[in-house]
Amino acid sequence: MFCSKKKSLEVERRVKANDREYNEKFQYADNRIHTSKYNILTFLPINLFEQFQRVANAYFFFLLILQLIPEISSLTWFTTIVPLVLVITMTAVKDATDDFFRHKSDNQVNNRQSEVLIDGKLQNEKWMNVKVGDIIKLENNQFVAADLLLLSSSEPHGLCYIETAELDGETNLKVRHALSVTSELGADISRLARFDGVVVCEAPNNKLDKFVGVLSWKDSKHPLNNEKIILRGCVLRNTSWCFGMVIFAGPDTKLMQNSGKTKFKRTSIDRLMNTLVLWIFGFLVCLGIILAIGNSIWENKVGDQFRTFLFWNEGEKNFVFSGFLTFWSYIIILNTVVPISLYVSVEVIRLGHSYFINWDRKMYCSGKATPAEARTTTLNEELGQIEYIFSDKTGTLTQNIMTFKRCSINGRIYGEVHDDLDQETEITKKKEPVAFSVKSEADRTFQFFDHHLMESIKLGDPKVHEFLRLLALCHTVMSEENSAGQLIYQVQSPDEGALVTAARNFGFIFKSRTPETITIEELGTLVTYQLLAFLDFNNIRKRMSVIVRNPEGQIKLYCKGADTILFEKLHPSNGDLLSLTSDHLSEFAGEGLRTLAIAYRDLDDKYFKEWYKMLEDANTATDKRDERIAGLYEEIEKDLMLLGATAIEDKLQEGVTETITSLSLANIKIWVLTGDKQETAINIGYACNMLTDDMNDVFVIAGNTAVEVREELRKAKEILFGQNRSFSNGHAVCEKKQQLELDSVVEETVTGDYALIINGHSLAHALESDVKNDLLELACMCKTVICCRVTPLQKAQVVELVKKHRNAVTLAIGDGANDVSMIKSAHIGVGISGQEGLQAVLASDYSFAQFRYLQRLLLVHGRWSYFRMCKFLCYFFYKNFAFTLVHFWFGFFCGFSAQTVYDQWFITLFNIVYTSLPVLAMGIFDQDVSDQNSMDCPQLYEPGQLNLLFNKRKFFICMLHGIYTSLALFFIPFGAFYNVAGEDGQHIADYQSFAVTMATSLVIVVSVQIALDTSYWTVINHVFIWGSIAMYFSILFTMHSNGIFGIFPNQFPFVGNARHSLTQKCIWLVILLTTVASVMPVVAFRFLKVDLYPTLTDQIRRWQKAQKKVRPPSSRRLRTRRSSSRRSGYAFAHQEGYGELITSGKNMRAKNPPPTSGLEKTLYNSTSWIENLCKKTTDTVSSFSQDKTAKL
């Protein structure tokens, strides 16, 4: 029964308003959310399971069990259990702390208050207690608690305005409107309490832009679509109140369906170490088998002769069983090849690297008082191996602040600043901004530095006046006054706000509108224009027009739009002006500004009436209505007279362009995944130099069906590779491994720069199994990939696609809730603490305040972390092979008896005391080149991407190096001691003297080796390395002293040996010979390698050491001119405008109610905006003047 019920839920959802009892039988999820991984009951089993996925932990647990068996244990059990428990406990505490903060965040959200209609009364309820079918009241600026069906609102016709920044990253307002039958309910609580409509709709899903359902009420059915639904995560704006019915709650909401799961992340080095531990264990088993066989043979051939002396009975111990026990004994003795101290040291090093990130003042944002934060300590070295970056756009690359920068009016550019010699200059603080004449109405956040425009206005230039009049009339902006009497604009798009605000400051102030009129104030005079027609914007037209009648009775059509479209509509007499304006547009576009062309047309009264009659007929037509209307729009929007063009700056975050350039030089591919529109994303691509006019081609994939998408991908690949290569059509896909090998070869052979732009609808088809290989192949060949209009889940799917099929290390960076699933999916997730809340930061592994800090995080901290970790591992495996394999060689001379060659205390202390601190110092502080040179030369990052510094080959080299050192350590003292007498005539070839000589040689050899390996010396390195040698000798003489032997005679049998052995000159000669024999080959090899085949790092180190401070002069690319690629300033592409809404009057208030508060996000007169603008302007100038990244 339960299963069938669940199955039916997957098909459709049925919800009855105000009837919890009815809805509960369907067992819908409540509104509580969980983003945490554990609870009190599951923490221990799940965390231990995750920790024992690390092969080393399981390996040490197995060793612990072996050490508890006295017959085979030659080392005490506490040497393993104490560090194992310590490591597991430390990791568990860290995981528990991380999850505690997730619980805290969940509780904060779940305990938010909401007004719910219960038993005919509005009651305050916690979000987690809201149920499906409840009716909720929302007030202005409140977050939406669940996915709601809008029933009624304070606005006319049941309209409400919402901001969807947390869902799609867009901060512009969107309109939702209730059904007319429910909007009549208003705020009447008794009528709302009696509302018993039943909604039958789609099952929970992650599609943000789609909803299908039917409301059944009062014996009639009403279709529901996305325009009637308000989603969780939205914020109610500019609407006093609204009522909604809960359709999806908690985990079923579209926001949570898109959020993705918290995943257990491990680095590639962790995964490699798991493999290496298995290999080492296999190697130990082989050694153990060899020694066990040797023991069996020795016991059989030689051991019989000793049994009489050992008082063994004849049958007590046969040679096979002896070999079996010896095998396990040697497994325990040789396990120090991978001591647990390795994992403790790795965690300490990672913790140190994390603190370096947290303490880095160059990643501290003083404006927001926000430092960089490493929110996890386990992924640092993976920051040095990133191949793909997936970035959000809004709030990550851009500030989402539009500024009117320049314009061209009647062939003259305004917005440039000229010095005394009439040379164009950059804006500086010394230059005074324009003092606007209408100071009371001016938006104080707006600054313009060219005084010539104000002079033209004062002189009454008719073209300038007409230009500004057009900006004040041709738009979809709504106006209202706040409590202080200030004029407030509600904008559908930041672009429109920037243009209307510019006109306002220059004296053409948009005051108000009705469905039939637009009122503006022209240089202090109120003028009301009759609005005759509104020709709305859409993505095909790429323009909008208004037809108005001025007070003199003249009819005018004012039009603004993309220049590529508008220039085709101009009257032939505009030839010269068109050529000049076209040059100006190219100049604007070359600076990364978003451009619009501006034109008008005088209309004849009779012609307009005839045209309007045809428009009315087309509007009432049932057949081909849209085509007929579009045709009429085309007919009247012709023979236009060009006025000029506008240029708006979509302000990038500081340092974005330099960061992207630098990361590209580091061979990192950057993909932009944005919920924003295609035009906006392309504009930003050009602004931050991801797209350039020098590119060979820019492929735009915009198909609406799988067939169209496949065909577009095929054509793009034909252009990219040429016709001589055959491709799969999506149905016949070759074997994956062969395909990837082929891809990697082709990637090397593709010449030229290409870009791929794909929208969300096409991406949905492209991610299907039979097309995604084609998409991936094409995308990976392109220098730049931009995905527009993508849902949060699609972002995660793109990341997963690259992770799975390219086997590349990925990083995702974003600042909003819509980026959370992408951040969780990537190997590394970076959250920007921006304007859209802290959801991205809470889900991230690293966080900081601005995108530009990513350059330092990867090229400095990431590269250093990878370099240090690889160096640490190479040295650690080397020293432990050298330390441990001496037991193997000794086995052939001690009857394979599992006798340890060293004193047991030396074995215990070697990794914990004698060699732990020097290798930690190297792993935490070492650096091959300085941070500035790491930033200046991004190519240094490449070894991490290619995994050159620690891989299976490097491991085998370290292993061979360790084996060679172990041979020198054992056989040089063995040969020297063979039949040798000391200076006093007594023999020195006893076991204890041999052990002390080898141990001393070992400590000195590994200390000299780490001194050779250290690239960057600090006081700490010196203290730790030479201090460890001093510590060894002090502990050695203490443990071999008479005093400690007197107290613990069983624990310290090597009494007096150190004093006896180390006073012999021949012993020191043996130690010296062993050290030289071990170290000299390494010194010779490295010297020849650096001299004959220097790497880029070697060359820069040599340059650093020579202290050459000559650097290439900074090249200032202040005004790069591009010849084509003009970008329309219409950022609201792919979405119909508000034209129909305005002319219908649905959004007009009957009378002016008290204005609602909290419009901070849509106002253009907030203090922070002007501060940001001033700061950005000055920062941009200073960054150009001190530009150090230009040397790249």
Side-chain angles (χ1 to χ4, degrees), residues 1162-1175:
T1162 55
L1163 302 192
Y1164 278 76
N1165 60 347
S1166 67
T1167 313
S1168 61
W1169 194 84
I1170 188 166
E1171 288 170 356
N1172 287 341
L1173 178 60
C1174 297
K1175 179 179 183 299

PDB file of all heavy atoms in Angstrom, residues 1162-1175:
ATOM      1  N   THR A1162      16.471  47.586  -5.353  1.00  0.00           N
ATOM      2  CA  THR A1162      16.095  48.112  -6.665  1.00  0.00           C
ATOM      3  C   THR A1162      16.319  49.614  -6.756  1.00  0.00           C
ATOM      4  O   THR A1162      16.120  50.197  -7.807  1.00  0.00           O
ATOM      5  CB  THR A1162      14.613  47.809  -6.954  1.00  0.00           C
ATOM      6  OG1 THR A1162      13.833  48.332  -5.884  1.00  0.00           O
ATOM      7  CG2 THR A1162      14.373  46.326  -7.078  1.00  0.00           C
ATOM      8  N   LEU A1163      16.679  50.267  -5.676  1.00  0.00           N
ATOM      9  CA  LEU A1163      16.862  51.710  -5.720  1.00  0.00           C
ATOM     10  C   LEU A1163      18.215  52.054  -6.303  1.00  0.00           C
ATOM     11  O   LEU A1163      19.197  51.375  -6.068  1.00  0.00           O
ATOM     12  CB  LEU A1163      16.757  52.298  -4.299  1.00  0.00           C
ATOM     13  CG  LEU A1163      15.441  52.007  -3.583  1.00  0.00           C
ATOM     14  CD1 LEU A1163      15.352  52.863  -2.345  1.00  0.00           C
ATOM     15  CD2 LEU A1163      14.262  52.295  -4.471  1.00  0.00           C
ATOM     16  N   TYR A1164      18.255  53.164  -6.994  1.00  0.00           N
ATOM     17  CA  TYR A1164      19.520  53.617  -7.553  1.00  0.00           C
ATOM     18  C   TYR A1164      20.112  54.754  -6.720  1.00  0.00           C
ATOM     19  O   TYR A1164      21.099  55.342  -7.076  1.00  0.00           O
ATOM     20  CB  TYR A1164      19.310  54.079  -8.996  1.00  0.00           C
ATOM     21  CG  TYR A1164      19.306  52.924  -9.910  1.00  0.00           C
ATOM     22  CD1 TYR A1164      18.202  52.095 -10.002  1.00  0.00           C
ATOM     23  CD2 TYR A1164      20.437  52.587 -10.661  1.00  0.00           C
ATOM     24  CE1 TYR A1164      18.213  51.001 -10.827  1.00  0.00           C
ATOM     25  CE2 TYR A1164      20.447  51.493 -11.480  1.00  0.00           C
ATOM     26  CZ  TYR A1164      19.335  50.715 -11.562  1.00  0.00           C
ATOM     27  OH  TYR A1164      19.346  49.609 -12.391  1.00  0.00           O
ATOM     28  N   ASN A1165      19.415  55.090  -5.597  1.00  0.00           N
ATOM     29  CA  ASN A1165      19.939  56.202  -4.807  1.00  0.00           C
ATOM     30  C   ASN A1165      20.413  55.737  -3.445  1.00  0.00           C
ATOM     31  O   ASN A1165      20.364  56.481  -2.488  1.00  0.00           O
ATOM     32  CB  ASN A1165      18.878  57.298  -4.664  1.00  0.00           C
ATOM     33  CG  ASN A1165      17.633  56.761  -3.977  1.00  0.00           C
ATOM     34  OD1 ASN A1165      17.498  55.553  -3.836  1.00  0.00           O
ATOM     35  ND2 ASN A1165      16.740  57.645  -3.546  1.00  0.00           N
ATOM     36  N   SER A1166      20.841  54.488  -3.316  1.00  0.00           N
ATOM     37  CA  SER A1166      21.368  54.025  -2.037  1.00  0.00           C
ATOM     38  C   SER A1166      22.796  54.506  -1.880  1.00  0.00           C
ATOM     39  O   SER A1166      23.543  54.627  -2.836  1.00  0.00           O
ATOM     40  CB  SER A1166      21.317  52.500  -1.962  1.00  0.00           C
ATOM     41  OG  SER A1166      22.202  51.965  -2.876  1.00  0.00           O
ATOM     42  N   THR A1167      23.176  54.767  -0.617  1.00  0.00           N
ATOM     43  CA  THR A1167      24.509  55.309  -0.366  1.00  0.00           C
ATOM     44  C   THR A1167      25.587  54.335  -0.782  1.00  0.00           C
ATOM     45  O   THR A1167      26.601  54.706  -1.342  1.00  0.00           O
ATOM     46  CB  THR A1167      24.652  55.612   1.144  1.00  0.00           C
ATOM     47  OG1 THR A1167      23.486  56.308   1.550  1.00  0.00           O
ATOM     48  CG2 THR A1167      25.873  56.461   1.411  1.00  0.00           C
ATOM     49  N   SER A1168      25.342  53.031  -0.509  1.00  0.00           N
ATOM     50  CA  SER A1168      26.381  52.039  -0.798  1.00  0.00           C
ATOM     51  C   SER A1168      26.698  51.999  -2.291  1.00  0.00           C
ATOM     52  O   SER A1168      27.816  51.742  -2.685  1.00  0.00           O
ATOM     53  CB  SER A1168      25.946  50.659  -0.326  1.00  0.00           C
ATOM     54  OG  SER A1168      24.779  50.280  -0.997  1.00  0.00           O
ATOM     55  N   TRP A1169      25.687  52.290  -3.113  1.00  0.00           N
ATOM     56  CA  TRP A1169      25.899  52.222  -4.561  1.00  0.00           C
ATOM     57  C   TRP A1169      26.903  53.283  -5.002  1.00  0.00           C
ATOM     58  O   TRP A1169      27.816  53.026  -5.758  1.00  0.00           O
ATOM     59  CB  TRP A1169      24.557  52.411  -5.260  1.00  0.00           C
ATOM     60  CG  TRP A1169      24.585  52.049  -6.693  1.00  0.00           C
ATOM     61  CD1 TRP A1169      24.448  50.821  -7.219  1.00  0.00           C
ATOM     62  CD2 TRP A1169      24.776  52.939  -7.801  1.00  0.00           C
ATOM     63  NE1 TRP A1169      24.539  50.879  -8.583  1.00  0.00           N
ATOM     64  CE2 TRP A1169      24.742  52.156  -8.970  1.00  0.00           C
ATOM     65  CE3 TRP A1169      24.971  54.304  -7.907  1.00  0.00           C
ATOM     66  CZ2 TRP A1169      24.885  52.702 -10.232  1.00  0.00           C
ATOM     67  CZ3 TRP A1169      25.119  54.851  -9.179  1.00  0.00           C
ATOM     68  CH2 TRP A1169      25.077  54.052 -10.311  1.00  0.00           C
ATOM     69  N   ILE A1170      26.736  54.505  -4.497  1.00  0.00           N
ATOM     70  CA  ILE A1170      27.677  55.566  -4.911  1.00  0.00           C
ATOM     71  C   ILE A1170      29.059  55.290  -4.350  1.00  0.00           C
ATOM     72  O   ILE A1170      30.067  55.518  -5.014  1.00  0.00           O
ATOM     73  CB  ILE A1170      27.172  56.963  -4.478  1.00  0.00           C
ATOM     74  CG1 ILE A1170      28.061  58.060  -5.092  1.00  0.00           C
ATOM     75  CG2 ILE A1170      27.162  57.130  -2.973  1.00  0.00           C
ATOM     76  CD1 ILE A1170      27.462  59.433  -4.998  1.00  0.00           C
ATOM     77  N   GLU A1171      29.097  54.757  -3.124  1.00  0.00           N
ATOM     78  CA  GLU A1171      30.403  54.433  -2.553  1.00  0.00           C
ATOM     79  C   GLU A1171      31.097  53.376  -3.406  1.00  0.00           C
ATOM     80  O   GLU A1171      32.284  53.479  -3.707  1.00  0.00           O
ATOM     81  CB  GLU A1171      30.248  53.927  -1.113  1.00  0.00           C
ATOM     82  CG  GLU A1171      29.878  55.034  -0.150  1.00  0.00           C
ATOM     83  CD  GLU A1171      29.493  54.497   1.229  1.00  0.00           C
ATOM     84  OE1 GLU A1171      29.450  53.260   1.386  1.00  0.00           O
ATOM     85  OE2 GLU A1171      29.249  55.312   2.109  1.00  0.00           O
ATOM     86  N   ASN A1172      30.317  52.346  -3.783  1.00  0.00           N
ATOM     87  CA  ASN A1172      30.888  51.287  -4.636  1.00  0.00           C
ATOM     88  C   ASN A1172      31.353  51.857  -5.968  1.00  0.00           C
ATOM     89  O   ASN A1172      32.420  51.512  -6.472  1.00  0.00           O
ATOM     90  CB  ASN A1172      29.850  50.188  -4.890  1.00  0.00           C
ATOM     91  CG  ASN A1172      29.632  49.348  -3.664  1.00  0.00           C
ATOM     92  OD1 ASN A1172      30.457  49.338  -2.764  1.00  0.00           O
ATOM     93  ND2 ASN A1172      28.502  48.643  -3.608  1.00  0.00           N
ATOM     94  N   LEU A1173      30.534  52.756  -6.532  1.00  0.00           N
ATOM     95  CA  LEU A1173      30.864  53.319  -7.837  1.00  0.00           C
ATOM     96  C   LEU A1173      32.146  54.154  -7.768  1.00  0.00           C
ATOM     97  O   LEU A1173      33.049  53.993  -8.579  1.00  0.00           O
ATOM     98  CB  LEU A1173      29.694  54.186  -8.325  1.00  0.00           C
ATOM     99  CG  LEU A1173      29.902  54.885  -9.676  1.00  0.00           C
ATOM    100  CD1 LEU A1173      30.132  53.853 -10.758  1.00  0.00           C
ATOM    101  CD2 LEU A1173      28.717  55.740 -10.012  1.00  0.00           C
ATOM    102  N   CYS A1174      32.217  55.026  -6.751  1.00  0.00           N
ATOM    103  CA  CYS A1174      33.416  55.858  -6.602  1.00  0.00           C
ATOM    104  C   CYS A1174      34.640  54.997  -6.369  1.00  0.00           C
ATOM    105  O   CYS A1174      35.685  55.197  -6.968  1.00  0.00           O
ATOM    106  CB  CYS A1174      33.247  56.827  -5.430  1.00  0.00           C
ATOM    107  SG  CYS A1174      31.917  58.003  -5.671  1.00  0.00           S
ATOM    108  N   LYS A1175      34.458  54.007  -5.486  1.00  0.00           N
ATOM    109  CA  LYS A1175      35.585  53.131  -5.152  1.00  0.00           C
ATOM    110  C   LYS A1175      36.044  52.376  -6.388  1.00  0.00           C
ATOM    111  O   LYS A1175      37.222  52.263  -6.685  1.00  0.00           O
ATOM    112  CB  LYS A1175      35.155  52.155  -4.051  1.00  0.00           C
ATOM    113  CG  LYS A1175      36.259  51.191  -3.656  1.00  0.00           C
ATOM    114  CD  LYS A1175      35.765  50.278  -2.553  1.00  0.00           C
ATOM    115  CE  LYS A1175      36.886  49.355  -2.100  1.00  0.00           C
ATOM    116  NZ  LYS A1175      37.419  48.480  -3.119  1.00  0.00           N
TER     117      LYS A1175
END
